[in-house]
Amino acid sequence: MIYNISMRRRTLAITLISLALVVQAAAQPSIGIGNLKFFERAYPDLTFTRKYDRKIEDWVITVKVPDTPGNKNGPGKTGEFVWANGSMLPVQELDNKEKYWTLLYGYQKELADPANFTEAQKERIKTFGSTENRQNGAGTPMFFFDFLYDSATRENLESHIVRLNFLGNATNVHERMREPLRRVEEKIYALSDGGTQESQEVRDFLANIRSNDAYYWRIIAGTTRKSFHSLGIAVDILPKNQGGKQIFWGWAKDKFPDTWMLIPLKDRWMPPQSVIRIFEEEGFIWGGKWTIYDNMHFEYHPELIMYNFRK
């Protein structure tokens, strides 16, 4: 399968994997085994069983993924992961656990205002956004997601890629995104069909969509990690007109190398708050809430929505 993509998307794909976990730059909190419940709630068609292994002094999680999404009682495959503070690692990676973040991290409910950043925060953001850190720093443990979405290889993954229309544009996504995106679309269109100011904002947003870019296989330069676009579970909603506003930290950094993180919220393009809320209701996180912001980007992580909003 071959998918065309603009040069700007190619540049974007290189750095996406670092963005989702910017909040993890600080010391990671302790994530106990009780938090497995958020994975169980987020992926109800998966079966999770746990057993404590005294030899490794950690919990071993057996996960069953059904062959047919949604059919929990049907045939499927099973895999084992060590809890490892919520990183869900294969046992052979335990010696390297410091190289991985936990999969359960803070996703804020409200958009942070860069006007309130301290000098220490500004420096931390600069360091985190550096090329060296993106390539050599700790990163997302992809093992659970590779197992869930069958994305250990491109050939495997592309057997699950489907083409669908989303908000007026054709796009390619993982088959597991079919229903979440259908619900998002249904809610957005329902909200647009009204006489309120909010409805008008949504109609304007829909009319301004240029493309919805989702699946694109990419190994991040200098790493062995994949972007979540490589799994077909992330969507970039690109506007026809940004109104002169910034949309992505990397592009802003080219213009404003020392102050890209301080660009005021009013000078950043973003979807209507009602659209962001709908995506979050259906299990997607929005890249605009990352300090290293990516305002076009939505990524399917229902476990994070459960962990942060529905404890």
Side-chain angles (χ1 to χ4, degrees):
M1 301 173 69
I2 298 174
Y3 304 104
N4 294 323
I5 193 164
S6 69
M7 288 304 297
R8 291 202 299 174
R9 277 285 293 110
R10 290 181 184 275
T11 301
L12 170 61
I14 295 174
T15 55
L16 280 176
I17 196 69
S18 296
L19 308 185
L21 295 163
V22 63
V23 293
Q24 302 265 25
Q28 295 190 73
S30 176
I31 307 294
I33 187 61
N35 291 283
L36 180 63
K37 65 185 177 184
F38 298 112
F39 289 93
E40 294 171 331
R41 295 172 186 173
Y43 305 100
D45 65 331
L46 273 58
T47 301
F48 296 84
T49 57
R50 70 184 84 171
K51 182 178 181 180
Y52 191 76
D53 188 318
R54 296 185 181 278
K55 183 177 179 180
I56 62 174
E57 298 182 329
D58 206 338
W59 292 88
V60 175
I61 314 299
T62 301
V63 182
K64 177 192 171 186
V65 177
D67 294 337
T68 303
N71 185 11
K72 185 170 186 172
N73 296 320
K77 61 179 181 178
T78 59
E80 285 192 347
F81 304 90
V82 179
W83 179 245
N85 199 41
S87 294
M88 300 282 273
L89 302 179
V91 67
Q92 62 268 27
E93 281 295 313
L94 284 182
D95 289 343
N96 300 318
K97 62 183 179 182
E98 297 304 318
K99 295 165 57 177
Y100 302 106
W101 287 312
T102 176
L103 296 179
L104 296 174
Y105 58 87
Y107 173 75
Q108 59 201 38
K109 296 181 180 180
E110 303 297 331
L111 190 57
D113 189 338
N116 298 325
F117 290 167
T118 66
E119 290 302 318
Q121 286 175 316
K122 295 175 191 176
E123 288 304 313
R124 180 171 65 85
I125 294 167
K126 284 183 182 180
T127 299
F128 193 85
S130 69
T131 300
E132 180 181 359
N133 185 68
R134 293 200 312 273
Q135 293 185 351
N136 302 318
T140 308
M142 297 296 289
F143 308 102
F144 169 74
F145 296 117
D146 278 338
F147 183 70
L148 170 58
Y149 296 108
D150 195 20
S151 58
T153 69
R154 181 172 184 171
E155 181 179 9
N156 286 357
L157 186 281
E158 290 192 347
S159 70
H160 300 279
I161 295 296
V162 296
R163 190 165 182 82
L164 51 78
N165 285 308
F166 178 64
L167 300 180
N169 289 277
T171 192
N172 302 297
V173 299
H174 193 282
E175 61 187 347
R176 280 186 161 269
M177 296 302 98
R178 196 194 303 266
E179 283 304 301
L181 287 176
R182 181 193 62 77
R183 294 191 296 268
V184 167
E185 183 179 65
E186 185 177 78
K187 288 184 176 182
I188 289 175
Y189 280 146
L191 184 56
S192 72
D193 187 21
T196 66
Q197 178 61 34
E198 186 177 58
S199 297
Q200 185 60 54
E201 289 176 355
V202 174
R203 286 195 292 272
D204 292 342
F205 162 75
L206 291 170
N208 192 35
I209 293 176
R210 188 184 78 193
S211 64
N212 300 313
D213 297 331
Y215 171 68
Y216 177 63
W217 183 269
R218 180 66 184 242
I219 304 298
I220 300 169
T223 78
T224 59
R225 300 191 302 271
K226 295 187 290 289
S227 159
F228 281 106
H229 282 283
S230 293
L231 278 63
I233 67 169
V235 178
D236 285 347
I237 299 179
L238 286 162
K240 298 173 184 175
N241 188 340
Q242 296 172 211
K245 298 184 177 183
Q246 300 300 318
I247 193 171
F248 174 55
W249 76 279
W251 300 339
K253 186 179 180 183
D254 290 340
K255 298 179 181 179
F256 313 104
D258 296 320
T259 58
W260 55 267
M261 80 292 294
L262 302 179
I263 291 173
L265 299 181
K266 67 180 179 62
D267 294 329
R268 302 182 189 182
W269 179 90
M270 58 185 72
Q273 289 301 308
S274 56
V275 169
I276 296 168
R277 183 184 68 247
I278 287 171
F279 269 97
E280 290 177 341
E281 288 172 354
E282 296 303 330
F284 292 82
I285 61 173
W286 176 50
K289 287 187 176 179
W290 299 330
T291 307
I292 297 182
Y293 52 89
D294 189 356
N295 287 22
M296 72 189 88
H297 185 82
F298 291 92
E299 193 171 287
Y300 190 66
H301 286 295
E303 71 283 358
L304 286 178
I305 298 298
M306 298 285 183
Y307 177 69
N308 286 280
F309 292 0
R310 302 173 190 169
K311 289 185 179 180

